[in-house]
Amino acid sequence: MNISQDHPVTRHPVTLGIVGGGQLGRMLAMAAARLGVKVVILDPAPDAPAAQVANEQLVAAYDDLSALASLAQRCDVVTYEFENVPAEGLEALAADGKLRPGPEALSISQDRLDEKRFIMSTGLAVAPFRPAASQAQLVTGIEELSGEGVSGVVIKTRRLGYDGKGQRRLTEGEPVPSDTFTELGSVPLIIEGFVDFECEISVIGARGIDGEVRLYDPARNSHVDGILARSEVPCGLDPETIQRAGEATARMLDALNYVGVLGVEFFVGRDGSLIVNEFAPRVHNSGHWTEAACVCSQFEQHVRAVLGMALGAGTRHSDAVMENLLGATDERVRSMLIEGDWMVHVYGKAEARPGRKMGHATRLSRTEG
Ligand code: AMP
């Protein structure tokens, strides 16, 4: 289709619904506002971070079908800012064609087992894994993986885990504690072989409604206690590895017939191999640097893609370092403001708990050449 002839930004008002009112929704809403797009947020918490910068908030649970119907009725397109939205509710939105990205990517990303199988089906590599639905299956699965030569395992809940939550690590040969299954909530699990990686990178990719793909440069990510602490671009890898990571991301975007921004996390092996850890069907924390270093940020790109606008350039005009502001970080924010060369975002969350994402900041440096 010819996007320029069906350019929603030329029709006013265009309204975008966002399910979820956290910081990702907040930055999507801010990008949407710059394009003249109105935003309605659905979130159960009044005064959610995204609602503070949006036109309207529906205060309702994510699985409240009548609230979702009301959101769809008010909006041209509905998107989501986190992947653990109950799929049943979003299926209702998908039925009238307003949900972008569509429900398939969302439902695959909600289950680590489905996600691994999908990634493998595209010909990309994942860590060796076994599903386990009981303590006995955990023990057997770990034995089997040990037989395949893994050096330790990471046990994860299949659903609802994020930022390293719902995970347990066991080193090579360590006996499996008898309460591991119950400790993780007696829910279906996946056991992953521990990947001895050189580094972790992520690629933020976007696909428009006409199938055009735009990619951002990979970021090198460091985590503390399973939570992203820092993303840096350039990632320092050779151009061939960067190209492979981009091709892998494009392959996943196409396989999902995706519309919107997708974040793909990779482990880079010591031999340069790429192993996909997971993907997120939304804008991603490791892509926040794009706001400061690219003409079109991941947030604007997502808004453009889901509303059927032409995609923007993901070209980077600077090197960048993004730091997450975790927990009580008022002092850090103050010093960043004094330093003067950080682009600071504070998310407007009322309470700073340890490890909670309260904001982030990006510092630019001159790109060579
Ligand atoms: P996840 O929630 O799956 O993204 O895991 C959070 C972080 O834990 C990852 O970014 C890695 O740093 C680490 N991690 C997760 N799975 C593995 C694995 N199979 N091997 C090594 N490190 C892992």
Side-chain angles (χ1 to χ4, degrees):
M1 74 174 284
N2 183 340
I3 288 180
S4 61
Q5 282 171 17
D6 182 30
H7 205 297
V9 86
T10 59
R11 288 191 277 117
H12 279 287
V14 176
T15 307
L16 175 65
I18 304 178
V19 182
Q23 63 268 18
L24 301 179
R26 180 179 175 104
M27 289 177 277
L28 285 169
M30 290 166 81
R34 267 197 308 108
L35 293 173
V37 172
K38 291 190 187 300
V39 172
V40 182
I41 302 292
L42 186 145
D43 193 283
D47 199 36
Q52 295 167 19
V53 299
N55 297 78
E56 206 185 327
Q57 176 178 8
L58 302 181
V59 180
Y62 304 125
D63 58 357
D64 179 333
L65 293 183
S66 74
L68 288 168
S70 161
L71 184 71
Q73 198 240 323
R74 277 164 213 234
C75 299
D76 296 279
V77 167
V78 176
T79 191
Y80 42 89
E81 59 123 40
F82 72 113
E83 60 266 49
N84 289 325
V85 182
E88 313 75 51
L90 291 186
E91 264 156 33
L93 292 177
D96 63 14
K98 287 200 170 172
L99 186 67
R100 290 183 187 155
E104 199 201 352
L106 183 75
S107 89
I108 294 173
S109 72
Q110 286 180 339
D111 183 334
R112 290 184 189 274
L113 185 61
D114 292 348
E115 188 181 29
K116 290 244 180 326
R117 289 180 173 150
F118 162 75
I119 294 164
M120 288 170 73
S121 76
T122 67
L124 300 168
V126 295
F129 66 92
R130 289 289 185 287
S134 65
Q135 180 73 22
Q137 287 181 10
L138 258 185
V139 174
T140 321
I142 292 170
E143 270 170 20
E144 286 176 13
L145 287 171
S146 303
E148 291 175 20
V150 305
S151 61
V153 294
V154 188
I155 307 162
K156 304 178 181 179
T157 57
R158 276 173 55 180
R159 291 181 166 270
L160 299 174
Y162 67 96
D163 285 346
K165 293 187 177 60
Q167 299 190 7
R168 185 71 21 93
R169 290 188 186 191
L170 294 178
T171 52
E172 196 174 353
E174 188 180 339
V176 191
S178 59
D179 60 353
T180 307
F181 186 69
T182 44
E183 275 235 320
L184 285 168
S186 302
V187 292
L189 303 172
I190 185 165
I191 315 161
E192 290 181 21
F194 192 81
V195 179
D196 180 27
F197 52 78
E198 164 81 35
C199 65
E200 290 184 80
I201 61 165
S202 55
V203 177
I204 309 298
R207 190 168 179 275
I209 50 171
D210 59 350
E212 185 190 5
V213 168
R214 294 269 168 103
L215 303 170
Y216 292 93
D217 281 347
R220 177 182 289 241
N221 301 322
S222 13
H223 297 79
V224 175
D225 298 331
I227 305 175
L228 182 71
R230 193 179 155 93
S231 295
E232 275 175 83
V233 275
C235 64
L237 295 172
D238 59 279
E240 190 268 332
T241 309
I242 289 174
Q243 176 152 349
R244 273 189 290 126
E247 283 166 3
T249 305
R251 201 187 295 181
M252 288 174 60
L253 284 164
D254 286 337
L256 291 165
N257 195 23
Y258 197 83
V259 176
V261 162
L262 180 83
V264 185
E265 298 178 20
F266 298 90
F267 299 127
V268 184
R270 300 198 186 277
D271 55 357
S273 58
L274 287 176
I275 293 171
V276 181
N277 175 26
E278 60 181 2
F279 71 84
R282 52 169 169 78
V283 288
H284 195 260
N285 193 170
S286 68
H288 290 1
W289 62 271
T290 59
E291 213 180 12
C294 301
V295 171
C296 179
S297 73
Q298 63 162 350
F299 306 105
E300 179 174 336
Q301 196 74 294
H302 187 76
V303 172
R304 287 182 182 227
V306 299
L307 290 178
M309 299 177 193
L311 298 185
T315 328
R316 180 167 61 81
H317 55 69
S318 172
D319 294 359
V321 176
M322 188 282 310
E323 268 187 29
N324 267 340
L325 296 164
L326 303 171
T329 42
D330 288 358
E331 274 311 314
R332 182 75 185 119
V333 169
R334 196 165 299 135
S335 65
M336 283 171 158
L337 292 176
I338 290 167
E339 284 167 38
D341 58 353
W342 290 93
M343 180 181 185
V344 180
H345 261 270
V346 176
Y347 300 150
K349 296 183 183 177
E351 195 195 339
R353 293 189 293 272
R356 191 176 193 201
K357 292 174 180 169
M358 300 302 291
H360 74 268
T362 304
R363 175 141 65 179
L364 302 181
S365 56
R366 191 184 294 274
T367 305
E368 300 285 310

